[in-house]
Amino acid sequence: MEVSILLGCIADDFTGATDLANNLVRNGMRVVQTIGVPQRGLDQDVDAVVVALKSRNLEPEEAITQSLEALDWLRAQGAQQIYFKYCSTFDSTPKGNIGPVTEALMGALNTDFTIATPAFPDNGRSVFKGHLFVGDVLLSESGMRDHPLTPMTDSNLVRVLQAQCKKKVGLISYQSVLAGAQAVTDRIAELRAQNISIAIVDAVSNEDLYRIAPAFKNLPLLTAGSGVAIGLPGNFGLLARPETSVLPPASGYKAIISGSCSEATNRQVAHFKQQGGAAYAINPLELLSQSASEIQSKILAWAKPLLPNGSVLIYSTAKPDEIRAIQAQLGTQEAGSAIENMLASIAHGLVSLGVGQLLVAGGETSGACVRELGVDQMQIGPQIDPGVPWCYAHGKGQSLHLALKSGNFGTDDFFTKAFSKL
Protein backbone atom coordinates (compact mmCIF):
# COMPACT_ATOMS: atom_id res chain seq x y z
CA MET A 1 0.00 0.00 0.00
CA GLU A 2 1.40 3.37 -1.01
CA VAL A 3 0.88 6.08 1.59
CA SER A 4 2.14 9.60 2.15
CA ILE A 5 2.15 10.52 5.82
CA LEU A 6 1.88 14.01 7.26
CA LEU A 7 3.98 13.58 10.40
CA GLY A 8 6.89 11.19 10.89
CA CYS A 9 7.93 10.56 14.48
CA ILE A 10 11.02 8.96 16.04
CA ALA A 11 10.67 7.92 19.68
CA ASP A 12 13.61 6.85 21.84
CA ASP A 13 11.65 4.17 23.71
CA PHE A 14 8.50 2.11 23.33
CA THR A 15 6.23 3.55 25.99
CA GLY A 16 7.19 7.05 24.91
CA ALA A 17 6.14 6.14 21.39
CA THR A 18 2.65 5.08 22.47
CA ASP A 19 2.44 8.18 24.67
CA LEU A 20 3.10 10.36 21.62
CA ALA A 21 0.80 8.34 19.36
CA ASN A 22 -1.96 8.61 21.95
CA ASN A 23 -1.84 12.42 21.92
CA LEU A 24 -1.93 12.50 18.12
CA VAL A 25 -4.92 10.13 17.97
CA ARG A 26 -6.86 12.11 20.59
CA ASN A 27 -6.44 15.24 18.49
CA GLY A 28 -7.51 13.82 15.13
CA MET A 29 -4.72 11.79 13.53
CA ARG A 30 -4.89 8.15 12.46
CA VAL A 31 -1.66 6.66 13.79
CA VAL A 32 0.35 3.47 13.51
CA GLN A 33 3.31 2.77 15.76
CA THR A 34 6.07 0.57 14.41
CA ILE A 35 8.51 -1.40 16.52
CA GLY A 36 11.87 -0.43 15.18
CA VAL A 37 12.48 0.79 11.63
CA PRO A 38 9.97 -1.07 9.41
CA GLN A 39 11.19 -3.70 7.01
CA ARG A 40 7.90 -3.58 5.10
CA GLY A 41 5.14 -1.19 4.14
CA LEU A 42 2.33 0.00 6.39
CA ASP A 43 -0.76 -2.12 6.98
CA GLN A 44 -3.11 0.83 6.52
CA ASP A 45 -3.44 4.41 5.31
CA VAL A 46 -2.64 6.76 8.21
CA ASP A 47 -1.81 10.39 8.95
CA ALA A 48 1.22 9.77 11.17
CA VAL A 49 3.70 7.03 11.96
CA VAL A 50 5.64 6.75 15.20
CA VAL A 51 8.80 4.66 14.88
CA ALA A 52 9.59 3.25 18.32
CA LEU A 53 13.30 2.73 18.96
CA LYS A 54 15.03 1.47 22.08
CA SER A 55 17.78 4.07 21.89
CA ARG A 56 17.48 6.11 25.07
CA ASN A 57 20.28 4.37 26.93
CA LEU A 58 22.46 3.34 23.98
CA GLU A 59 25.83 4.88 23.26
CA PRO A 60 25.24 8.15 21.36
CA GLU A 61 26.77 6.85 18.13
CA GLU A 62 24.36 3.89 18.00
CA ALA A 63 21.38 6.05 18.97
CA ILE A 64 22.26 8.42 16.12
CA THR A 65 22.59 5.55 13.63
CA GLN A 66 19.18 4.12 14.53
CA SER A 67 17.52 7.54 14.50
CA LEU A 68 18.90 8.40 11.06
CA GLU A 69 17.69 5.03 9.72
CA ALA A 70 14.22 5.86 11.04
CA LEU A 71 14.44 9.31 9.47
CA ASP A 72 15.33 7.85 6.07
CA TRP A 73 12.33 5.50 6.18
CA LEU A 74 9.93 8.24 7.27
CA ARG A 75 11.11 10.61 4.55
CA ALA A 76 10.62 7.82 2.03
CA GLN A 77 6.98 7.68 3.15
CA GLY A 78 6.59 11.37 2.34
CA ALA A 79 6.62 12.72 5.90
CA GLN A 80 6.15 16.49 5.78
CA GLN A 81 7.55 17.12 9.27
CA ILE A 82 9.76 15.09 11.64
CA TYR A 83 9.24 14.82 15.42
CA PHE A 84 11.94 13.42 17.73
CA LYS A 85 10.25 12.31 20.94
CA TYR A 86 12.03 11.78 24.28
CA CYS A 87 10.87 11.35 27.85
CA SER A 88 8.91 14.04 29.67
CA THR A 89 11.53 13.88 32.42
CA PHE A 90 14.28 14.58 29.84
CA ASP A 91 16.02 11.29 30.70
CA SER A 92 19.62 11.54 29.56
CA THR A 93 23.23 11.58 30.66
CA PRO A 94 25.78 14.40 30.18
CA LYS A 95 26.78 12.86 26.85
CA GLY A 96 23.29 12.29 25.49
CA ASN A 97 21.31 11.06 23.84
CA ILE A 98 18.88 13.94 23.38
CA GLY A 99 21.46 16.47 22.22
CA PRO A 100 23.52 14.27 19.88
CA VAL A 101 20.45 12.80 18.18
CA THR A 102 18.87 16.25 17.78
CA GLU A 103 22.00 17.63 16.13
CA ALA A 104 22.29 14.61 13.83
CA LEU A 105 18.68 14.97 12.70
CA MET A 106 19.16 18.69 12.15
CA GLY A 107 22.14 17.96 9.94
CA ALA A 108 20.30 15.33 7.92
CA LEU A 109 17.35 17.68 7.42
CA ASN A 110 19.61 20.66 6.68
CA THR A 111 17.83 22.84 9.20
CA ASP A 112 19.46 25.48 11.41
CA PHE A 113 16.81 25.62 14.14
CA THR A 114 14.54 23.45 16.24
CA ILE A 115 12.75 23.55 19.57
CA ALA A 116 13.03 21.28 22.62
CA THR A 117 10.50 20.91 25.40
CA PRO A 118 9.36 17.94 27.50
CA ALA A 119 6.32 19.86 28.79
CA PHE A 120 3.24 17.64 29.25
CA PRO A 121 0.91 19.32 31.75
CA ASP A 122 -1.62 16.44 31.72
CA ASN A 123 1.05 14.33 33.38
CA GLY A 124 2.43 17.02 35.66
CA ARG A 125 5.40 18.03 33.49
CA SER A 126 5.78 21.78 33.11
CA VAL A 127 8.65 24.01 32.00
CA PHE A 128 9.05 27.52 33.42
CA LYS A 129 12.06 29.79 32.91
CA GLY A 130 13.73 26.77 31.34
CA HIS A 131 13.35 24.63 34.46
CA LEU A 132 11.47 21.33 34.40
CA PHE A 133 8.95 20.59 37.14
CA VAL A 134 7.54 17.14 37.92
CA GLY A 135 4.28 17.87 39.65
CA ASP A 136 5.02 20.58 42.21
CA VAL A 137 8.75 19.91 42.55
CA LEU A 138 11.78 20.54 40.41
CA LEU A 139 13.04 17.60 38.38
CA SER A 140 16.15 17.43 40.57
CA GLU A 141 13.95 16.96 43.65
CA SER A 142 11.69 14.30 42.09
CA GLY A 143 12.07 10.53 42.08
CA MET A 144 14.12 10.88 38.88
CA ARG A 145 17.10 12.00 40.95
CA ASP A 146 17.61 8.32 41.88
CA HIS A 147 17.04 6.76 38.45
CA PRO A 148 19.50 3.83 38.14
CA LEU A 149 20.56 4.63 34.55
CA THR A 150 19.82 8.33 34.01
CA PRO A 151 19.70 10.17 37.34
CA MET A 152 18.44 13.71 36.74
CA THR A 153 20.06 16.09 39.23
CA ASP A 154 19.75 19.38 37.32
CA SER A 155 16.38 20.99 36.50
CA ASN A 156 17.77 23.71 34.21
CA LEU A 157 17.09 22.26 30.75
CA VAL A 158 19.10 24.90 28.90
CA ARG A 159 22.13 23.86 30.94
CA VAL A 160 21.37 20.12 30.67
CA LEU A 161 20.96 20.23 26.89
CA GLN A 162 23.89 22.59 26.30
CA ALA A 163 26.19 20.04 27.98
CA GLN A 164 25.18 17.54 25.28
CA CYS A 165 25.31 19.87 22.27
CA LYS A 166 27.84 21.59 20.07
CA LYS A 167 25.18 24.02 18.85
CA LYS A 168 24.06 26.89 21.08
CA VAL A 169 20.95 26.35 23.22
CA GLY A 170 18.60 29.17 24.22
CA LEU A 171 15.14 29.75 25.70
CA ILE A 172 11.69 30.76 24.49
CA SER A 173 10.34 32.03 27.78
CA TYR A 174 6.82 32.01 29.12
CA GLN A 175 6.48 35.71 28.32
CA SER A 176 6.64 34.91 24.60
CA VAL A 177 4.49 31.78 24.96
CA LEU A 178 1.73 33.68 26.74
CA ALA A 179 1.75 36.34 24.02
CA GLY A 180 0.92 33.73 21.38
CA ALA A 181 2.22 32.09 18.22
CA GLN A 182 3.39 35.29 16.53
CA ALA A 183 5.46 36.25 19.58
CA VAL A 184 7.01 32.77 19.56
CA THR A 185 7.74 33.12 15.85
CA ASP A 186 9.40 36.48 16.51
CA ARG A 187 11.46 34.98 19.33
CA ILE A 188 12.62 32.19 17.03
CA ALA A 189 13.84 34.84 14.56
CA GLU A 190 15.73 36.61 17.38
CA LEU A 191 17.41 33.38 18.47
CA ARG A 192 18.40 32.54 14.91
CA ALA A 193 19.97 35.98 14.57
CA GLN A 194 22.04 35.15 17.67
CA ASN A 195 23.21 31.86 16.09
CA ILE A 196 21.19 29.88 18.64
CA SER A 197 20.02 26.67 17.04
CA ILE A 198 17.94 24.90 19.71
CA ALA A 199 15.45 26.54 22.07
CA ILE A 200 13.93 25.15 25.24
CA VAL A 201 10.26 26.25 25.26
CA ASP A 202 8.32 27.08 28.44
CA ALA A 203 4.81 25.64 28.83
CA VAL A 204 2.70 25.08 31.94
CA SER A 205 -0.73 24.22 30.50
CA ASN A 206 -2.40 22.53 27.54
CA GLU A 207 -3.50 25.98 26.41
CA ASP A 208 0.17 26.92 26.10
CA LEU A 209 0.82 23.89 23.88
CA TYR A 210 -2.12 24.68 21.60
CA ARG A 211 -1.10 28.35 21.55
CA ILE A 212 2.47 27.75 20.39
CA ALA A 213 1.81 24.95 17.86
CA PRO A 214 1.16 27.25 14.87
CA ALA A 215 4.62 28.79 15.35
CA PHE A 216 6.13 25.37 14.67
CA LYS A 217 4.21 24.60 11.47
CA ASN A 218 7.10 25.28 9.11
CA LEU A 219 9.95 23.84 11.17
CA PRO A 220 11.30 20.68 9.48
CA LEU A 221 12.14 19.16 12.87
CA LEU A 222 10.53 19.29 16.30
CA THR A 223 12.00 17.70 19.41
CA ALA A 224 9.87 17.29 22.52
CA GLY A 225 8.11 15.02 24.93
CA SER A 226 4.64 14.00 23.84
CA GLY A 227 2.88 17.18 24.99
CA VAL A 228 3.62 19.37 21.94
CA ALA A 229 1.84 16.75 19.82
CA ILE A 230 -1.61 17.83 20.97
CA GLY A 231 -1.45 20.98 18.85
CA LEU A 232 0.12 19.54 15.71
CA PRO A 233 -2.88 17.88 13.99
CA GLY A 234 -4.46 21.34 13.75
CA ASN A 235 -1.46 22.50 11.71
CA PHE A 236 -2.52 19.94 9.09
CA GLY A 237 -6.19 20.93 9.22
CA LEU A 238 -7.28 17.96 11.36
CA LEU A 239 -9.68 18.05 14.29
CA ALA A 240 -10.40 15.53 17.07
CA ARG A 241 -12.71 12.73 15.87
CA PRO A 242 -13.78 9.56 17.73
CA GLU A 243 -13.21 7.14 14.86
CA THR A 244 -9.42 7.55 15.06
CA SER A 245 -9.29 5.48 18.30
CA VAL A 246 -11.61 2.56 17.44
CA LEU A 247 -9.96 -0.89 17.81
CA PRO A 248 -11.25 -4.41 17.08
CA PRO A 249 -13.07 -6.08 20.02
CA ALA A 250 -10.84 -7.45 22.79
CA SER A 251 -10.71 -11.12 23.77
CA GLY A 252 -8.57 -13.53 25.78
CA TYR A 253 -7.25 -13.51 29.33
CA LYS A 254 -5.85 -10.39 31.02
CA ALA A 255 -2.37 -9.94 32.46
CA ILE A 256 0.01 -7.24 33.67
CA ILE A 257 3.82 -7.33 33.45
CA SER A 258 5.65 -4.64 35.42
CA GLY A 259 9.38 -4.04 35.34
CA SER A 260 9.32 -0.40 36.37
CA CYS A 261 10.86 0.80 39.63
CA SER A 262 9.17 4.21 39.52
CA GLU A 263 7.25 5.64 42.44
CA ALA A 264 4.06 5.80 40.36
CA THR A 265 4.27 2.13 39.38
CA ASN A 266 5.01 1.09 42.95
CA ARG A 267 1.77 2.79 43.99
CA GLN A 268 -0.12 1.05 41.17
CA VAL A 269 1.20 -2.34 42.26
CA ALA A 270 0.19 -1.61 45.85
CA HIS A 271 -3.31 -0.53 44.81
CA PHE A 272 -3.83 -3.66 42.68
CA LYS A 273 -2.84 -5.87 45.61
CA GLN A 274 -5.01 -3.91 48.05
CA GLN A 275 -7.99 -4.54 45.76
CA GLY A 276 -7.38 -8.29 46.03
CA GLY A 277 -5.68 -8.76 42.68
CA ALA A 278 -3.55 -11.86 42.09
CA ALA A 279 0.09 -10.71 42.13
CA TYR A 280 3.47 -12.42 41.94
CA ALA A 281 6.58 -10.52 43.04
CA ILE A 282 9.87 -11.38 41.36
CA ASN A 283 12.96 -10.72 43.42
CA PRO A 284 15.69 -9.81 40.90
CA LEU A 285 18.27 -11.32 43.25
CA GLU A 286 16.82 -14.73 42.32
CA LEU A 287 18.66 -14.38 39.02
CA LEU A 288 21.90 -14.87 40.94
CA SER A 289 20.86 -18.34 42.12
CA GLN A 290 18.32 -19.58 39.55
CA SER A 291 18.13 -19.59 35.78
CA ALA A 292 15.63 -17.31 34.06
CA SER A 293 13.86 -20.37 32.59
CA GLU A 294 13.38 -21.87 36.06
CA ILE A 295 11.85 -18.65 37.34
CA GLN A 296 9.66 -18.36 34.24
CA SER A 297 8.31 -21.91 34.58
CA LYS A 298 7.46 -21.34 38.23
CA ILE A 299 5.60 -18.10 37.47
CA LEU A 300 3.61 -19.49 34.53
CA ALA A 301 2.57 -22.48 36.64
CA TRP A 302 1.30 -20.01 39.25
CA ALA A 303 -0.58 -17.91 36.66
CA LYS A 304 -2.25 -20.67 34.63
CA PRO A 305 -5.08 -21.58 37.06
CA LEU A 306 -5.68 -17.92 37.97
CA LEU A 307 -6.08 -16.45 34.50
CA PRO A 308 -9.71 -17.58 34.00
CA ASN A 309 -10.67 -15.69 37.17
CA GLY A 310 -9.40 -12.23 36.19
CA SER A 311 -6.25 -10.21 35.56
CA VAL A 312 -2.94 -11.31 37.10
CA LEU A 313 0.06 -9.12 37.89
CA ILE A 314 3.70 -10.23 37.66
CA TYR A 315 6.06 -7.54 38.82
CA SER A 316 9.68 -6.77 39.54
CA THR A 317 9.63 -3.33 41.13
CA ALA A 318 12.87 -3.63 43.05
CA LYS A 319 14.02 -1.14 45.66
CA PRO A 320 17.19 0.90 44.96
CA ASP A 321 19.35 -1.23 47.30
CA GLU A 322 18.21 -4.44 45.54
CA ILE A 323 19.01 -2.90 42.16
CA ARG A 324 22.48 -1.92 43.34
CA ALA A 325 23.11 -5.45 44.65
CA ILE A 326 22.30 -7.15 41.35
CA GLN A 327 24.18 -4.45 39.41
CA ALA A 328 27.24 -5.16 41.54
CA GLN A 329 27.03 -8.83 40.61
CA LEU A 330 26.10 -8.61 36.94
CA GLY A 331 26.97 -5.04 35.90
CA THR A 332 24.55 -2.17 35.36
CA GLN A 333 23.50 -2.85 31.76
CA GLU A 334 23.65 -6.63 32.15
CA ALA A 335 21.40 -6.57 35.21
CA GLY A 336 18.79 -4.50 33.42
CA SER A 337 18.88 -6.72 30.34
CA ALA A 338 18.60 -9.89 32.41
CA ILE A 339 15.44 -8.68 34.16
CA GLU A 340 13.90 -7.33 30.95
CA ASN A 341 14.57 -10.54 29.01
CA MET A 342 13.08 -12.67 31.77
CA LEU A 343 9.93 -10.54 31.89
CA ALA A 344 9.68 -10.68 28.09
CA SER A 345 9.85 -14.47 28.16
CA ILE A 346 7.10 -14.50 30.79
CA ALA A 347 4.96 -12.23 28.59
CA HIS A 348 5.41 -14.66 25.69
CA GLY A 349 4.45 -17.54 27.95
CA LEU A 350 1.32 -15.73 29.13
CA VAL A 351 0.19 -15.10 25.55
CA SER A 352 0.73 -18.81 24.84
CA LEU A 353 -1.62 -19.54 27.75
CA GLY A 354 -4.35 -17.45 26.11
CA VAL A 355 -3.71 -13.90 27.29
CA GLY A 356 -5.14 -11.51 24.68
CA GLN A 357 -5.05 -8.30 26.73
CA LEU A 358 -1.60 -7.46 28.07
CA LEU A 359 -0.50 -4.37 29.99
CA VAL A 360 3.25 -3.76 30.32
CA ALA A 361 4.70 -1.15 32.70
CA GLY A 362 8.17 0.31 32.14
CA GLY A 363 9.80 1.58 28.96
CA GLU A 364 12.67 -0.90 28.78
CA THR A 365 10.39 -3.79 29.78
CA SER A 366 7.88 -2.81 27.11
CA GLY A 367 10.57 -2.79 24.46
CA ALA A 368 11.76 -6.25 25.42
CA CYS A 369 8.21 -7.64 25.52
CA VAL A 370 7.07 -6.41 22.10
CA ARG A 371 10.23 -7.75 20.50
CA GLU A 372 9.76 -11.13 22.14
CA LEU A 373 6.13 -11.20 20.99
CA GLY A 374 7.11 -10.46 17.39
CA VAL A 375 5.05 -7.26 17.20
CA ASP A 376 6.19 -4.83 14.49
CA GLN A 377 3.17 -2.55 13.98
CA MET A 378 0.42 -1.42 16.35
CA GLN A 379 -2.80 0.49 15.73
CA ILE A 380 -3.33 3.13 18.43
CA GLY A 381 -6.67 3.10 20.25
CA PRO A 382 -8.45 4.66 23.24
CA GLN A 383 -6.67 6.35 26.13
CA ILE A 384 -6.54 4.74 29.56
CA ASP A 385 -4.79 7.64 31.29
CA PRO A 386 -2.89 10.60 29.80
CA GLY A 387 0.01 9.21 27.80
CA VAL A 388 -1.15 5.59 27.79
CA PRO A 389 -3.50 4.17 25.12
CA TRP A 390 -4.61 0.66 24.31
CA CYS A 391 -3.12 -0.66 21.06
CA TYR A 392 -3.93 -3.53 18.70
CA ALA A 393 -1.20 -5.69 17.21
CA HIS A 394 -0.46 -8.94 15.47
CA GLY A 395 2.31 -10.95 17.11
CA LYS A 396 3.59 -14.38 16.04
CA GLY A 397 0.27 -15.40 14.52
CA GLN A 398 -1.96 -14.03 17.29
CA SER A 399 -3.90 -10.81 17.60
CA LEU A 400 -3.27 -8.97 20.84
CA HIS A 401 -4.41 -5.85 22.67
CA LEU A 402 -1.43 -4.14 24.31
CA ALA A 403 -0.94 -1.19 26.63
CA LEU A 404 2.63 0.01 27.12
CA LYS A 405 2.92 2.29 30.14
CA SER A 406 5.82 4.53 31.03
CA GLY A 407 6.84 3.88 34.61
CA ASN A 408 5.98 7.40 35.74
CA PHE A 409 2.51 7.54 34.14
CA GLY A 410 -0.96 6.61 35.31
CA THR A 411 -3.14 7.07 38.38
CA ASP A 412 -2.80 4.79 41.40
CA ASP A 413 -5.73 2.63 40.20
CA PHE A 414 -4.30 2.24 36.68
CA PHE A 415 -3.81 -1.54 36.84
CA THR A 416 -7.29 -1.99 38.24
CA LYS A 417 -9.22 0.13 35.73
CA ALA A 418 -7.20 -0.35 32.51
CA PHE A 419 -9.10 -3.35 31.17
CA SER A 420 -12.46 -1.59 31.53
CA LYS A 421 -11.35 0.87 28.84
CA LEU A 422 -11.44 -1.75 26.05
Side-chain angles (χ1 to χ4, degrees), residues 79-356:
Q80 297 178 26
Q81 188 174 52
I82 300 298
Y83 190 130
F84 170 41
K85 193 274 176 194
Y86 37 75
C87 187
S88 64
T89 47
F90 221 66
D91 291 22
S92 53
T93 65
K95 63 180 180 179
N97 290 328
I98 295 174
V101 171
T102 295
E103 292 186 323
L105 293 172
M106 291 178 73
L109 290 165
N110 194 30
T111 182
D112 67 341
F113 187 86
T114 190
I115 57 100
T117 181
F120 188 9
D122 280 352
N123 265 325
R125 312 295 188 262
S126 55
V127 182
F128 186 69
K129 294 188 181 296
H131 288 69
L132 177 58
F133 289 79
V134 177
D136 294 328
V137 301
L138 287 164
L139 174 67
S140 56
E141 298 172 10
S142 73
M144 286 303 298
R145 67 185 179 277
D146 297 319
H147 193 285
L149 297 178
T150 53
M152 301 303 294
T153 58
D154 190 352
S155 306
N156 185 324
L157 300 188
V158 175
R159 189 161 55 216
V160 170
L161 190 56
Q162 188 63 79
Q164 303 175 24
C165 291
K166 297 177 182 176
K167 300 180 184 294
K168 291 177 66 175
V169 179
L171 175 67
I172 298 175
S173 71
Y174 195 66
Q175 182 178 7
S176 296
V177 170
L178 197 59
Q182 186 57 54
V184 173
T185 300
D186 293 344
R187 177 60 176 158
I188 289 172
E190 291 175 2
L191 293 171
R192 274 181 155 145
Q194 298 168 22
N195 293 318
I196 292 174
S197 299
I198 307 169
I200 301 295
V201 185
D202 282 352
V204 301
S205 68
N206 282 359
E207 289 73 21
D208 293 334
L209 298 175
Y210 285 116
R211 189 181 295 119
I212 62 181
F216 305 149
K217 183 175 182 178
N218 296 318
L219 293 179
L221 173 68
L222 305 177
T223 89
S226 66
V228 166
I230 68 174
L232 299 186
N235 286 349
F236 297 100
L238 297 173
L239 299 173
R241 44 200 170 127
E243 61 268 26
T244 59
S245 64
V246 175
L247 297 180
S251 62
Y253 298 139
K254 305 167 185 175
I256 304 162
I257 295 283
S258 176
S260 170
C261 300
S262 76
E263 294 175 359
T265 301
N266 283 333
R267 291 194 299 270
Q268 291 155 3
V269 168
H271 184 276
F272 182 87
K273 293 166 65 178
Q274 289 166 3
Q275 297 301 308
Y280 191 108
I282 301 172
N283 183 347
L285 295 176
E286 291 181 30
L287 284 168
L288 302 179
S289 58
Q290 300 179 58
S291 70
S293 61
E294 288 175 325
I295 298 171
Q296 175 189 352
S297 296
K298 180 172 57 176
I299 292 170
L300 293 177
W302 167 84
K304 186 174 182 180
L306 297 173
L307 286 168
N309 302 323
S311 56
V312 301
L313 165 64
I314 297 156
Y315 67 101
S316 175
T317 51
K319 297 177 181 178
D321 58 338
E322 294 174 336
I323 295 172
R324 285 190 290 270
I326 194 169
Q327 287 175 340
Q329 291 286 329
L330 301 179
T332 300
Q333 295 292 339
E334 292 78 3
S337 296
I339 296 170
E340 292 159 22
N341 292 337
M342 179 178 65
L343 291 172
S345 295
I346 292 168
H348 189 197
L350 289 169
V351 172
S352 298
L353 291 175
V355 167

Side-chain angles (χ1 to χ4, degrees), residues 367-387:
C369 286
V370 294
R371 290 188 188 281
E372 178 67 24
L373 292 168
V375 172
D376 65 353
Q377 292 187 23
M378 302 192 303
Q379 180 184 351
I380 307 301
Q383 175 176 280
I384 304 168
D385 268 341

Side-chain angles (χ1 to χ4, degrees), residues 58-70:
L58 295 179
E59 289 298 314
E61 295 77 12
E62 180 58 26
I64 288 170
T65 297
Q66 291 190 18
S67 300
L68 291 177
E69 289 174 357

